[in-house]
Amino acid sequence: KKSLTDLSSWNISDDGVFNKSEKSFEVLFCDIEIEGREVTRWDQPLLKPKDMELIIFLMKKINGVPHFLIRLTKEYGIYDGVEIGASMHIAKSELDVIHNDEIKNYLIRKYKERTNIVNTSLLSEEGGRFYHEQNLYLIIQADEDFNSINVNNEYFWVTLGQLNYFIQSDNFVNIQARNLFTLIKLGD
């Protein structure tokens, strides 16, 4: 733990906390006022991302049954250390980086080529903590190119039924994977 004043790459002002390199995110200090609520005025910090993120499920039929590639993800604030996440969750600014992960490189290539995209949706993640956050959610169908890629032990194939089962329990599936779940069409 460090004091905010000890973080050399951040500036702190009355308006918020800002990264000097303009990467990642900033925290805005907001004075909010609204009519028609029990509380009509309050102060609140809001997280403002600097970049849109892509969140993707890779889908593949195994023995004729659609499966979705999940990945166990670590995030701040997760009670049990990990949750089920999307096949890939990446900032758009990282799309031109070559990754040590064949699956990530495959999904980036398919996104850039605009091929094998089954469904897509741009969602606002506003809510009570975020300011102007939008993420692009996609489901991409694996093709013959994918057969040569090794699925390592960071990833797991699950059916729609299995994913639905995990979603029914708290703290098993992260919000991004739950949002992707809503894009799955029966019959895909």
Side-chain angles (χ1 to χ4, degrees):
K1 293 182 180 182
K2 285 186 172 184
S3 167
L4 286 175
T5 56
D6 292 337
L7 301 176
S8 61
S9 59
W10 294 84
N11 287 327
I12 302 167
S13 75
D14 290 341
D15 296 325
V17 181
F18 307 94
N19 189 293
K20 290 178 184 176
S21 67
E22 297 196 23
K23 292 183 180 180
S24 188
F25 65 91
E26 53 192 38
V27 179
L28 305 176
F29 301 147
C30 299
D31 181 22
I32 300 168
E33 188 171 347
I34 190 168
E35 292 182 27
R37 292 185 58 152
E38 185 177 315
V39 176
T40 59
R41 185 176 184 163
W42 66 93
D43 295 323
Q44 177 178 350
L46 293 174
L47 187 71
K48 181 180 179 187
K50 292 288 193 172
D51 201 357
M52 180 183 292
E53 295 184 349
L54 298 179
I55 300 149
I56 301 174
F57 263 156
L58 182 62
M59 182 176 80
K60 178 181 179 180
K61 287 193 176 180
I62 300 173
N63 298 324
V65 177
H67 282 69
F68 300 88
L69 193 62
I70 62 169
R71 185 175 190 173
L72 297 180
T73 61
K74 294 180 182 180
E75 296 177 25
Y76 295 109
I78 292 177
Y79 297 113
D80 297 324
V82 297
E83 286 183 345
I84 293 170
S87 310
M88 183 177 77
H89 183 163
I90 189 170
K92 281 185 102 174
S93 60
E94 296 178 33
L95 291 178
D96 292 327
V97 174
I98 304 231
H99 300 274
N100 291 333
D101 184 324
E102 287 183 278
I103 294 169
K104 194 176 274 190
N105 290 328
Y106 173 84
L107 290 170
I108 290 169
R109 182 167 46 87
K110 292 300 176 187
Y111 168 74
K112 286 181 173 183
E113 293 172 354
R114 304 291 195 261
T115 56
N116 299 55
I117 297 174
V118 174
N119 204 348
T120 183
S121 182
L122 180 64
L123 295 179
S124 173
E125 308 285 355
E126 296 284 325
R129 297 177 301 241
F130 302 105
Y131 184 80
H132 290 192
E133 181 180 11
Q134 290 186 321
N135 292 323
L136 184 60
Y137 289 85
L138 300 110
I139 297 177
I140 294 179
Q141 174 73 47
D143 59 15
E144 294 299 317
D145 291 353
F146 187 77
N147 291 337
S148 63
I149 294 175
N150 179 35
V151 177
N152 63 41
N153 60 4
E154 293 180 40
Y155 297 91
F156 304 91
W157 289 106
V158 296
T159 65
L160 182 61
Q162 290 169 323
L163 188 55
N164 186 43
Y165 174 79
F166 289 126
I167 286 175
Q168 303 308 310
S169 299
D170 290 339
N171 305 318
F172 278 28
V173 181
N174 70 19
I175 185 61
Q176 294 85 6
R178 286 183 286 169
N179 286 344
L180 273 170
F181 182 79
T182 66
L183 290 181
I184 298 170
K185 296 179 189 175
L186 296 179
D188 284 343

